[in-house]
Structure formats: C-alpha cells, structure tokens
C-alpha cells in the first residue's frame, strides 16, 4: 500500500483558511448569521443564571411571589429567544457543512477528470478517495459546527468572567485559578489523544485497504488457497487497531476524571469561600448560586477550546492535502490560447473544432513516464497516413501501449512532437482529439447502470436504430438477447455482472457508436471466443475503411490483414511491413509468429 507523505504543519494562526475562502464566499451571509446567532446564544447562557440569582434572592429568600408574572414572562422570553437562536444557528451550520462539503467534492472530482494518467499511476485509489471524501468532510465540519461552537463557547467564557468579576472579584479570581490548571491538563491529554487518534486513522486506512483487496481479489484468494494467511494478516491489523483504541479510551477516561475532579474542586472552593462570605452578610445566597453555575459551566468550554486547538492542527493537514490535490497540475494540459479557441472539457467550443482526418506523424519522439527513469521510446519516427490499419506487436513491456497512449495524448512526449493532420497535437484541444478516438481496452470498464446507458456514452444523441446497428456490427446483439431485460439489463458495478468477453463486445459497440476517426484496439478481442472473433474481424475490416486504426494484438493470427505491422522492442521499431514481408524476412516477427503457432498446435493437441 502506498505510504502517504507526512506534511509539515505550519503555525496555527495560518491554518490555510485563505485556501478555503473560495468555498466559503458563496455562503458568507449564512456564516455571518450563524456566528451572530451563536454569539447571541452564548450571551443568553450568561443571562439565564442571573434569573436564578433574582429568583432565589427575591422570591425564595423573602418568601413572596410578588411580581412573579413579570419575572416568568421575561424568563420565558429569554429561553424562547435562546431556543430560536440555537435552532436557527444549528440549521445554518448544517447548511454550511453540507454545501461547503458538496462544493469541495464537486470541484475535486471535476479537477480529477482533468488530470493525466500519470497522476492515477502514482496515487492509489484509496489515497484519492480519502482526499475527496474524508478530508472534505473534516474541513466542512470545521467551518460549520466548530465555528458555531467556538463562537458560543468563547462568548460564554468571556461573558461569565466579566459577570463574575463584576459581582464579586474575590470569588471570580478563585474560580479563575482553576482555569490554567485545567488548561494544562487538557493540553497534556489532548496531545496524547491526538497522536493516538492519528495512529488509529492510519491503521484504519490499512484496514480499509485490506477490505478492498479482500473483496476485489476474492477469486485469487480462493484459487491460491490463502484464506488463512489473509485472515492472519487482517487479524493482526485489527488487533493493532484494538490496542491503540483501548489506549485512547484509557487516556480519554483519565482525562474525563481529571476534568470532573477540577470541576468539583472549583465548586467546593466556591461553596467554601462563598458560604463564608454569605454568612458574613456581604453576599446573598442567590449570588453564590450564580458563581456555582458559572464555575461548573466554564469547564466544558475550556475543554472544548483546548481540544479545538488540537483539532485545528490536525485539520490543517486535511486542508494541506486537499489543497495539494486541487493545486496539482496535469502533465498533459492545453495552453490558454488553445482553451480560449477550443474550450475545455467542461465548456467546449465545438464550433471552432476542425475536422479530424487521421494523418499521424511521430517526429523524433522520446518518452519516459513521469515516475520512471528509463526511456520507453527513444528518437521514435513514424508516419501513419490517413486510413491506415497499423498493427503493433512485441513482447510485454516493449512499449506497444505507450505508442497509442501518446497518439491519444494521454501522455505528452518527453521530447519531439506528434502531428495530427500536419499540426502539433499540443496546438489542438485534448477534448477535440479524444472525441475523435474510439478506444477498446483489453479489460474494458462499464459504468453502473443498464446496457443501453453504457452504449449511449458513445453517442448520447444516437437513435435506437443506430444503437442496434452498432451492436449488431460487432455481434453484441446475441449477448444482449440472452439477458433478462435486454438493453435495460443492469451491468453491475464496473460491469461485474457480465463476463470479460461480454464487456468487450459492449465496449466495442460503444466505440463504434461514437463513429471515431481513429480506432485503438488494445487486445480488444482477447476474451472473445474464436467464432465471435472472426465475425468481429470482418466487422472491423468494414468499419475501419477510411479510418486510421491502431491494433495492439497478442494473437498474431488476427492481424495478418493489417496494412502495416510494427514490431516493437525496447521502445524502438525493429521491423515493419505487412504479414507476408515480415514472414519472409524470418526476423523478430517470424520468431514471435512461429512460437505462437507452435503453442496453438500443442494446445489443440491436448484439447483433442
């Protein structure tokens, strides 16, 4: 599993709020209202104990109910105002949390769509998922509930201190003596809890990864009979999680005990000194009850503030990681001039798009992957005239897929350039090029939904007649006919309800429906039976007339009709020509072809 790089935490006042401002700005009115109402709610919590003091001194001590009606009306009014203020501010906090979290997820998801393949090669799915989901959730919670609670708690502490100092400075100082001790204890325990919680989250990510591997690799686990090993590994991870969680619970319980002790110590001191002052007649008993309420009430806000400081430090890591994702630039991106003319992936200016014909030229192209050290292609030159059927063969790792990925501009050449219809591909829009490419993978991906929905991704405006014609051209109609609901049949997550061969056929039909000018078939028939493969080969010859096509093939018998066969080895073309010419040369292609032919003969002999 990929280890996440530790981020350096800067000073607390920085926090990274400037990076969040674009997400907060649309809701600034709601945020200001939430803060104002939170402040008002905190002040009401200061005022309510004063009603308690008045009731004790004027009704209970004097044993009278005179003016009780006005008192009750004022008390109920304050309570009603507090309930309304707290209710509205809580509702607004929910809004801010949901909307800010939603916007961050939307923008991060859209940004991911613009990144090149190299980003996904270098970062695991779990890492990206955590950035989009976990980090955004924590940030959204911080700028909503933490902000609202912070305003309430701080206003309560400040207000309570001022009232206590105003009522009786001697008792107020006695209560405030507990605050530094409480703060020190809270800081100590929170430091321990933060480290433990970070470790717990790290272990939890390993558990999530193990779950993912266990589910996606279930077949491999069963075929290798390694269930016991997988269980042992998973139990070890969960045991570590258990130990760290229990340790965290112990610290939390001890922390709660210390806080309770401090709270009751403060209460005891107030009762002791306040009782003496009351007996001397200097202070009334109602005032003593107010001090007791404030003394107990200040404990929770002090705990929250210390805990929030730790949370702010922790969430700053989430902000930095999210910002790093949003600031990541794609290795393949259009220039500003290109975007101004052709638009981008989300707002294309199709009226400015030139027609694509499919004449492709590699000019002294060298390429190595962003995270690689060795060149996959070096000083590569090739001219592919419009309508040419190019077959690419070679050993695994020879650079076959790299070649077509460069044509599709999924990666940029490290040096040299690729011309499309005589123009450098970098001077045209990526979307313009991708809209004219039909790519069928060896392991195709289908999106969750029905067969029809997946086909329409190729051409959303296609009629049912066009869809049926595309499906029939690649013999996918027979597959769909066998399904319970036909075109409305669910394909499952990633197409898991279908076999690999069925997914390839539907993926092929989807590419045909897009009516591209360039076809790329990357082992597109590797999981299809030989009878269906022959039908598709006939369809390919018909469909690719006038279109440029690149066929990466493992079965060399399927490419004998190609206009040009390129044999790639170590990133270089070692042979080129048609099937007959290459066989007559008795070189690399001949070696690959005869070896595969012998393997097929042996396989058929065993089957017989």
């Amino acid at each position: 599993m990929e280890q996440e790089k530790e981020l350096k935490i800067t000073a607390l006042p920085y926090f990274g709020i400037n990076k969040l401002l674009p997400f907060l700005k649309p809701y600034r009115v709601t945020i200001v209202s939430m803060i104002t109402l939170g402040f008002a709610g905190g002040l009401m919590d200061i005022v309510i104990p004063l009603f308690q003091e008045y009731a004790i001194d004027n009704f209970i001590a004097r044993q009278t109910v005179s003016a009780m009606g006005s008192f009750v009306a004022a008390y109920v009014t304050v309570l009603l105002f507090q309930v309304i203020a707290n209710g509205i501010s809580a509702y607004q906090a929910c809004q801010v949390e949901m909307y800010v979290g939603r916007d961050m997820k939307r923008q991060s998801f859209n940004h991911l769509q613009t990144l090149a393949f190299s980003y996904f090669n270098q970062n695991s799915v779990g890492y990206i998922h955590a950035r989009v989901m976990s980090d955004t959730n924590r940030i959204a919670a911080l700028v909503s509930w933490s902000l609202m609670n912070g305003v309430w708690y701080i206003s309560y502490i400040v207000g309570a201190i001022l009232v206590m100092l105003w009522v009786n400075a001697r008792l107020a100082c006695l209560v405030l003596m507990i605050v530094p001790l409480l703060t020190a204890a809270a800081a100590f325990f929170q430091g321990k809890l933060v480290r433990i919680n970070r470790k717990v989250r790290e272990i939890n990510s390993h558990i999530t990864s193990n779950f993912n591997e266990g589910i996606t690799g279930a077949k491999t686990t069963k075929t290798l009979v390694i269930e016991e090993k997988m269980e042992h590994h998973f139990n070890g991870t969960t045991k570590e999680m258990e130990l760290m969680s229990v340790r965290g619970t112990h610290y939390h319980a001890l922390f709660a005990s210390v806080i309770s002790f401090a709270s009751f110590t403060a209460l005891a001191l107030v009762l002791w000194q306040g009782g003496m002052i009351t007996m001397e007649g200097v202070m009334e008993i109602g005032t003593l009850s107010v001090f007791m309420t404030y003394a107990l009430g200040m404990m929770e806000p002090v705990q929250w503030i210390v805990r929030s400081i730790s949370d702010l430090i922790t969430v700053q890591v989430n902000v930095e990681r999210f910002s790093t994702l949003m600031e990541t630039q794609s290795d393949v991106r259009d220039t500003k001039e290109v975007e101004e003319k052709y638009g981008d992936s989300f707002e294309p200016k199709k009226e400015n798009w030139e027609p694509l014909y499919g004449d492709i030229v590699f000019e002294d192209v060298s390429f190595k992957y962003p995270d690689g050290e060795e060149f996959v292609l070096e000083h590569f030159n090739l001219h592919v005239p419009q309508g040419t059927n190019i077959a690419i063969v070679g050993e695994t790792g020879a650079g076959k897929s790299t070649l077509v990925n460069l044509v599709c501009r999924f990666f940029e050449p490290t040096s040299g350039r690729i011309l499309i219809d005589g123009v450098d591909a970098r001077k045209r829009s990526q979307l313009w090029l991708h809209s004219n490419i039909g790519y069928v993978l060896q392991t195709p991906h289908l999106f969750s939904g029905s067969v029809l929905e997946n086909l329409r991704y190729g051409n959303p405006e296609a009629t049912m007649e066009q869809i049926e014609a595309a499906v029939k051209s690649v013999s996918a109609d027979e597959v769909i006919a066998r399904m319970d609901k036909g075109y409305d049949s669910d394909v499952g997550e990633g197409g898991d309800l279908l076999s690999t061969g069925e997914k390839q056929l539907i993926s092929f039909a989807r590419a045909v429906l897009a009516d591209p000018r360039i076809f790329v078939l990357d082992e597109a028939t590797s999981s299809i039976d030989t009878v269906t493969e022959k039908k598709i080969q006939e369809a390919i010859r018909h469909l690719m007339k006038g279109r440029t096509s690149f066929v990466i093939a493992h079965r060399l018998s399927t490419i004998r009709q190609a206009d040009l066969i390129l044999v790639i080895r170590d990133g270089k073309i070692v042979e080129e020509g048609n099937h007959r010419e290459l066989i007559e040369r008795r070189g690399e292609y001949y070696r690959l072809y005869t070896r595969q032919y012998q393997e097929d003969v042996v396989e058929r002999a065993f089957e017989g």
Side-chain angles (χ1 to χ4, degrees), residues 17-32 96 99-100 103-104 107 143:
I17 192 68
N18 60 313
K19 297 182 179 181
L20 300 180
L21 288 178
F23 298 99
L24 303 180
K25 190 175 180 180
Y27 311 107
R28 55 187 179 277
V29 174
T30 304
I31 293 173
V32 170
V96 172
Y99 293 154
V100 170
D103 293 349
M104 295 177 77
Q107 291 196 32
V143 299

Side-chain angles (χ1 to χ4, degrees), residues 191-206:
K192 295 285 187 181
L193 288 171
V194 165
R195 286 191 291 272
I196 291 173
N197 287 337
R198 282 178 177 170
K199 184 64 177 177
V200 167
R201 285 197 298 271
E202 180 184 343
I203 299 172
N204 186 63
S205 68
H206 287 290

Side-chain angles (χ1 to χ4, degrees), residues 440-446 494 500 503-504 507 522-524 526-527:
V440 184
L441 297 166
Q442 180 181 5
T443 54
H445 179 84
L446 298 183
T500 304
K503 287 192 289 185
Q504 280 187 330
S507 178
D522 190 350
E523 300 284 0
S526 60
S527 299

